[in-house]
Each structure stands twice: as C-alpha cells, then as structure tokens.
Amino acid sequence: MTENATLDFYDANASAYAEYASQKVERDWLGQFITKLGEIAPGGRVLDYGCGSGWAGASMAEAGFRVDALDGTAGLAAQAKDRYGLSVRVAPFEALDDAATYNGVWASFSLLHARRTAIPGLIGRIGRALVQGGITYIGLKEGEGEAPDSLGGHYSYVSEAELDGWLRSAGCPEVEIHKETGQGYDGTPIAMLHAFARREGAA
C-alpha cells in the first residue's frame, strides 16, 4: 500500500482507530516525556507530530503545555477535534519547516508510515524545530526494510543503531533508546523502539 493509500485507510477507519488509540500503552512513554519536558520547560511549546486521534496532544495540553498538532489525515484530525478539542493542522510530515520553535516534539509511531528513505530527513526536521536543550520522543518499529501489514498499511522498519545515528546527525547527541515487544494495530507482535533525545545546547 502506498503512503497515500495508508492515509486513505486511516481516513476511512478514523473512528475505530481513535478508539483503539485511546488505550495505547505508549501513555507510559508519554508520561516520561511530559516529566522530562516539565523539568526543562514548564508550560513550553510542544508539537504532536503525526498526532493521529489526538490523545497525546490532549494529555500534554492538560499538563499545561502549549500544543501544536500536525497529521496527514483529515479523518483523524476530526476525531482529535471531536474527542479532545484539539486543533490539528492537516499536512504531510514535510510541512514541518520550523526552526528553534519547540521545547518538545512528540512523534509516537507516526514516522513509520513514511518511506524509509525519508525518515532521516524527517528526524532532521525535528532537530531543527527544537530549541536548544529541547527534547523529542520518537517511537518506531524495529526491523529492516518496509512492507505493508496485514491490513495493507505501509510501514517502515529501522534498527536501533540507525535511529541513534539519525538523532545524533539531527543535532540531538543525548540519546536513550528503549526496546520492548508489543502488538501492532493488526494484532501482529512487533518489536518497538522508544527513543528520547535532547537537542544540543542549554535549555
């Protein structure tokens, strides 16, 4: 399935996916992200990059942060508005062209829908968008290559070493990556990478 077809899939299944996403285990990682961000920039500006149904952006706003949200699917943007009152910019990942704007960027299993060759550049955009000392969380599936899942959605897979290197190249030399086993939207077991990284310079 192409990237556009993947967007069409999420548009067509927006309500069902939003219900699934409301119970995602990444909430534990979001809690860590909010704690880390609160230590360096209470009430700071954060981007939910590929926000989906908006559950993470809503939680960050509730924690007192100023949240911008971007997603490529109008259907999920509507879910974010209806469920959480979150205003979402509907645009592709490449629309992120801010520089030194955000104290934090949250990208939870969103970039994996991009072409694998595009992911280093998108991580570079995250690095440029962060202020000095800003932090990012990126969730991706571990593996090699790219392929559709059983539902036809496009997924790209990366290694821990690749993710570490891309973050460092993006100007985020303080990197910590955690690994765990989980389950994809189609029910298939997956290996997951949870990365926190900090932009060089003082916050």
Side-chain angles (χ1 to χ4, degrees):
M1 181 180 276
T2 65
E3 291 168 88
N4 287 339
T6 301
L7 296 178
D8 291 342
F9 171 83
Y10 280 114
D11 273 331
N13 297 276
S15 180
Y17 183 79
E19 188 61 32
Y20 159 83
S22 69
Q23 303 172 33
K24 288 172 77 69
V25 295
E26 286 84 41
R27 288 188 184 280
D28 294 338
W29 301 101
L30 177 61
Q32 293 186 43
F33 179 75
I34 286 174
T35 297
K36 292 174 183 291
L37 190 57
E39 291 172 351
I40 62 170
R45 189 176 178 189
V46 61
L47 174 66
D48 192 350
Y49 191 35
C51 68
S53 61
W55 62 270
S59 294
M60 290 186 284
E62 186 177 345
F65 297 102
R66 293 169 289 140
V67 178
D68 293 338
L70 180 148
D71 199 86
T73 59
L76 286 176
Q79 289 290 320
K81 180 69 173 178
D82 292 345
R83 290 171 180 262
Y84 306 110
L86 192 67
S87 179
V88 179
R89 179 187 179 191
V90 179
F93 291 126
E94 290 78 10
L96 176 61
D97 57 3
D98 302 272
T101 300
Y102 294 104
N103 301 103
V105 176
W106 170 263
S108 177
F109 295 90
S110 53
L111 300 185
L112 48 68
H113 291 306
R115 289 296 179 187
R116 193 175 187 282
T117 54
I119 293 176
L122 297 176
I123 292 176
R125 289 176 183 269
I126 290 174
R128 288 190 294 274
L130 287 170
V131 301
Q132 289 188 339
I135 63 169
T136 185
Y137 163 87
I138 299 176
L140 289 168
K141 292 183 179 182
E142 185 180 24
E144 298 180 352
E146 51 191 312
D149 67 1
S150 64
L151 300 176
H154 173 269
Y155 287 88
S156 293
Y157 300 86
V158 307
S159 70
E160 181 178 355
E162 286 175 320
L163 181 53
D164 181 89
W166 295 338
L167 283 163
R168 293 177 189 277
S169 294
C172 301
E174 296 182 37
V175 182
E176 59 177 272
I177 299 177
H178 307 269
K179 301 170 70 171
E180 71 173 351
T181 300
Q183 182 173 287
Y185 183 48
D186 67 348
T188 303
I190 56 172
M192 299 186 291
L193 299 174
H194 303 275
F196 293 96
R198 184 165 178 166
R199 176 75 188 181
E200 57 195 349

